[in-house]
Amino acid sequence: MSIELQKIAKSYADNLVLQDISVQIQTGEFFAIVGPSGCGKSTLLRMIAGLIPISAGILKIDNQVVNQLPPQQRKLTMVFQNYALFPFLNVHDNVGFGLKARKLAPVKVEKRVKEALELVNLSEFAARKPRELSGGQRQRVALARAIASDAKICLMDEPLSNLDAQLRGKMRSEIRELQQRLGLTLIYVTHDQIEAMTMADRIMVLNDQQIQQVGTPTEIYQRPQNAFVAGFFGTPRINLLPVQHAVAKQLVVDESLTVNLNQPLPAGKYYLGIRPNDLRADFASEKTNAALRNLEYLGTQSVIHAELDNGQLVRVTVDGKLTAGINQRLLVTAEQNFIVFNEQQQAVLFAERGKQIGTTSNQQLQEA
Amino acid sequence: MEQQVTNNSKKLKQLPQNLSSLKTVSYDVNARDKLHAIWFLGPSLLVLAVFVFYPMLRTLYLSLFLTNNLGKPTVFVGLQNYWSLLTSSSYLASLQATFVYVIAVSILTLIFGLLLAQAASFKVKGSNFFRTVFSGTMGVSVSVAAIFWLFMFNPSIGLLDQIASVLHLPVINWLTQPGWAMTAIVISTVWMNLGFTFLIFFGALQTVPVNLYEAAQIEGVSKSYQFFHITLPMISPTVFFVSIITLIESFKSFGLIDLMTAGGPNNATNLLVYRIYQDAFLNGNYGLASTESVILAIIIAIFTFLQFKILEKRVTYQ
């Protein structure tokens, strides 16, 4: 079951919440919608579900326009952040609630509930009430209910936000596995970039009422089309440094922190986007251009927060543990992997190991 | 006697809280703590003793006596007061009228309260206005309500009969025909109850998470199924609470009856509490009135006990 959004918009009175949302989601695709709080991602999901009306645009499910169809006729199911379980029903009845309400034959209800509970490993908890379950188990009940409904499209609204970090990691792979196994077309709303990166086939990044970028996790991470997308994905956050001046084929952030271009850029103001792991920190160097301000030890790597002599703050990751004192001097230099953004913070150039690709427009990537 | 009834209902109102059986924690109470406890409990115990426990015991005591018209016990008659009441056809008629009244009022209050609350929950223009209007009767005193309904039920100028005459329906003498008088009293009481009931139900409905309805909507569950299988179970503790309060309150009804029918016509609306009032303060028969109070307290206790037995099983506390 494919889903197609054509110029979808949502407004409340004069307040525009979403505009110009167009995307095609393939059958069996794991599609994540990511964005900061209040970017309209849940609103978009609710419009697809049919819980709130679409202000403008066309929504197609299986090549059929469904704008006016009530939720139950859109043949989809939904998992909510707070699970939306009925506290007065046990696990079994929660999973079978919708089936029973739709007057499915009791034998069929029983079969589907049993299968769904087996799929999420909750068979032995069938008689328990939701309050007697842990957060992860409750979420699995919600999953089982979605599975039992037998819809081929599943919408999930921040399903893991209420779980602790460890459980979230475990549930991520469980959900992914289920989606593959059942061949579900899954639209997954989250504000967590890691969830989106690790689970999704494709990601839609939303901000400021509109799509920032749609692409695979690799595309989103390596070819972010603007500074927002670049900053939203990847921890620690990408460094976005104003370029002091561009001399011929060189962009200069400061005297020692420069990158080389294969071809000169037209005159203008630019930002240099460099991931922390593409910067190098040298504490032994005689020549220095920064001072250490803070150090985060993360086990396999450490994050250096340094202040360049021109006042810019940069993040640099180094392997293992670093023994350096606060305010110690260091030299920060750049590798040749970087992204150049123009004044409007749109990406104009991607550089990977010497190979550089320019973008002519912001929407299309073009080999330079 | 009135106080005893009030006291009884207070005890019953507190029961739902006691039910959530908390584990008893045993404290190591030493003598000094006990002294502290007495200081803290003392004032309220004193007030309760003077205004509740003493009247209760006194009522029980008086119910076994004949009294003079100042309320002093004169002749000990044992259970004879009870016997004479339970064999009196007029008392049994009162009892029956009370049951009819209580059951009708309780059921109608619950149904209409819930309907109004559900209706006001829909987010449409002007729903705020209706929320205020529906809870309005909370601010209406019994006397004002009585006057309002006396006008409504008046056969010559009353709105109800004017509508009836326009529709060529027979004009009803609401307050002077025995069957209709009871109906009229029930209608006015339900109307009086609605403000409070509406407010409590409306509050309860707001606590039901919207996601539950959304989940049901996506699964294609009909609105009525949602009401009976999501809304009702979710607010069942409130329904239970309101049903107990309403039942007890309607057993104690007095004001509207006194002002609208004074127990008439032909004792059709002579409910138990009104009868107690008549026996004690109009006929000066304090002993008998005390007996009636004790019986009323027992009846309320039995009804509430039954409610707990029958309804509580269906209540899900969260």
Side-chain angles (χ1 to χ4, degrees), chain B residues 42-267:
Chain B
S44 51
L45 272 180
L46 195 71
V47 172
L48 281 176
V50 172
F51 292 105
V52 178
F53 300 146
Y54 172 72
M56 240 173 88
L57 292 173
R58 181 74 182 170
T59 306
L60 204 59
Y61 174 77
L62 282 179
S63 74
L64 307 173
F65 285 84
L66 291 182
T67 57
N68 64 16
N69 54 11
L70 294 171
K72 296 272 177 240
T74 49
V75 186
F76 178 78
V77 290
L79 294 175
Q80 202 196 308
N81 279 341
Y82 289 88
W83 182 248
S84 63
L85 274 179
L86 295 173
T87 51
S88 139
S89 62
S90 101
Y91 183 77
L92 291 178
S94 270
L95 204 61
Q96 196 192 354
T98 306
F99 286 154
V100 170
Y101 170 82
V102 163
I103 290 168
V105 165
S106 300
I107 291 176
L108 292 176
T109 302
L110 279 178
I111 291 176
F112 282 105
L114 204 50
L115 279 179
L116 287 187
Q118 181 70 59
S121 296
F122 294 122
K123 289 194 176 70
V124 287
K125 254 194 183 155
S127 57
N128 266 334
F129 170 73
F130 284 101
R131 282 169 205 172
T132 314
V133 170
F134 291 162
S135 51
T137 62
M138 268 187 81
V140 176
S141 75
V142 175
S143 49
V144 173
I147 291 165
F148 168 72
W149 282 103
L150 280 173
F151 274 116
M152 290 288 277
F153 289 131
N154 187 302
S156 48
I157 59 164
L159 183 66
L160 292 178
D161 281 327
Q162 283 187 359
I163 294 171
S165 68
V166 168
L167 299 174
H168 301 292
L169 293 170
V171 168
I172 296 161
N173 287 315
W174 285 95
L175 295 169
T176 50
Q177 281 173 272
W180 289 111
M182 176 59 91
T183 312
I185 290 290
V186 168
I187 292 173
S188 352
T189 314
V190 170
W191 182 82
M192 272 300 274
N193 286 350
L194 274 183
F196 174 74
T197 315
F198 163 77
L199 210 65
I200 299 283
F201 277 142
F202 184 71
L205 287 178
Q206 306 315 303
T207 66
V208 181
V210 184
N211 279 346
L212 295 185
Y213 296 115
E214 290 180 336
Q217 213 186 329
I218 286 174
E219 298 233 29
V221 178
S222 70
K223 286 276 177 223
S224 62
Y225 196 91
Q226 285 181 28
F227 180 80
F228 287 107
H229 291 86
I230 300 175
T231 309
L232 270 188
M234 286 302 286
I235 64 166
S236 57
T238 308
V239 176
F240 184 56
F241 168 77
V242 170
S243 75
I244 290 198
I245 296 289
T246 313
L247 188 101
I248 292 170
E249 288 296 322
S250 34
F251 265 116
K252 286 163 49 191
S253 289
F254 175 78
L256 280 176
I257 293 158
D258 186 39
L259 293 164
M260 290 177 70
T261 62
N266 197 13
N267 283 337

Side-chain angles (χ1 to χ4, degrees), chain A residues 316-337:
Chain A
V316 185
T317 52
V318 293
D319 285 342
K321 190 166 167 55
L322 196 73
T323 44
I326 301 297
N327 292 334
Q328 198 173 326
R329 301 286 302 172
L330 72 153
L331 178 71
V332 178
T333 52
E335 302 262 307
Q336 292 309 306
N337 296 337

Side-chain angles (χ1 to χ4, degrees), chain B residues 283-296:
Chain B
N283 305 335
N285 202 339
Y286 293 95
L288 196 66
S290 298
T291 313
E292 290 173 39
S293 296
V294 173
I295 294 178
L296 178 59

Side-chain angles (χ1 to χ4, degrees), chain A residues 174-237:
Chain A
E174 271 187 39
I175 290 179
R176 177 76 187 160
E177 215 170 278
L178 270 175
Q179 182 260 341
Q180 304 261 298
R181 201 151 141 193
L182 301 170
L184 294 175
T185 306
L186 205 155
I187 303 183
Y188 188 101
V189 163
T190 178
H191 64 269
D192 183 345
Q193 45 112 352
I194 299 179
E195 265 175 34
M197 294 284 281
T198 51
M199 298 166 84
D201 294 318
R202 274 197 308 156
I203 299 171
M204 175 200 279
V205 188
L206 278 183
N207 193 37
D208 284 343
Q209 299 111 36
Q210 49 196 342
I211 295 182
Q212 302 293 320
Q213 187 170 356
V214 179
T216 63
T218 330
E219 281 167 4
I220 295 274
Y221 186 76
Q222 293 181 348
R223 306 276 161 86
Q225 278 170 14
N226 56 44
F228 175 81
V229 177
F232 201 81
F233 290 85
T235 35
R237 224 174 127 87

Side-chain angles (χ1 to χ4, degrees), chain A residues 75-87:
Chain A
K75 291 179 221 145
L76 43 76
T77 169
M78 188 160 172
V79 176
F80 295 86
Q81 178 177 357
N82 63 0
Y83 323 131
L85 300 180
F86 304 106

